[in-house]
Every structure is written in C-alpha cells, then in structure tokens.
Amino acid sequence: MSQSTITFRIPDDEKELVSEYAKAHNSSLTELYRNAVLDKIEDEIDLKTLQNAIKISKEKKEMGISQDEMEELLNEV
C-alpha cells in the first residue's frame, strides 16, 4: 500500500500537549492524528446516516417505541 505525507502547522504549546497525550497512550503522533481524523469522518457519516433514517421514518409516518418497550420485547424472545 502506498503512503503519502501530510504536513501541517500547529503552535508549539499544542504540539507539546498532543505529544504528551500520544506518549501517555503509547501512540505515535501519526497514529493519533490519523485515528482522530478517521474517527471524525466516521462520526459524521454515522450522523448523516441517522439523520437520513429519521427523515425516512417521518416520511413513512412510522411509530417508535421506548427503550423499556424494546427491552420487554427482547426479554420475551
């Protein structure tokens, strides 16, 4: 798999904070930044998926149930 390099600038105090965080979590700066960006992208995709599901549910005039009702149904299985 080919790889690319991305360079960006951050203030020295932020770099120190991020470096210490990475060190405390036994992670490299590369791993930390890559995971943070990918997590952010995944969260945004998940949010858009949820919003779309809610929109479709409203258009179909579907009725939801409470968590308690769902747990009762699951306990019956």
Side-chain angles (χ1 to χ4, degrees):
M1 173 173 55
S2 65
Q3 294 186 345
S4 300
T5 300
I6 298 174
T7 303
F8 59 93
R9 298 178 188 278
I10 62 171
D12 289 340
D13 59 334
E14 289 179 12
K15 180 184 182 282
E16 184 64 28
L17 176 65
V18 172
S19 294
E20 290 299 318
Y21 182 89
K23 185 178 176 182
H25 289 84
N26 297 318
S27 179
S28 69
L29 288 175
T30 298
E31 290 173 315
L32 182 65
Y33 281 114
R34 180 177 46 238
N35 290 338
V37 169
L38 294 176
D39 285 348
K40 177 75 172 169
I41 292 168
E42 184 178 314
D43 289 348
E44 188 172 323
I45 291 168
D46 290 347
L47 178 59
K48 286 181 182 179
T49 301
L50 174 62
Q51 290 170 335
N52 190 43
I54 291 170
K55 179 182 173 193
I56 290 169
S57 179
K58 285 181 180 179
E59 289 170 355
K60 292 182 175 183
K61 297 182 181 176
E62 296 177 331
M63 298 296 296
I65 62 173
S66 71
Q67 182 167 341
D68 289 338
E69 291 169 321
M70 177 60 76
E71 289 175 3
E72 287 177 24
L73 288 172
L74 291 173
N75 286 333
E76 293 174 7
V77 176

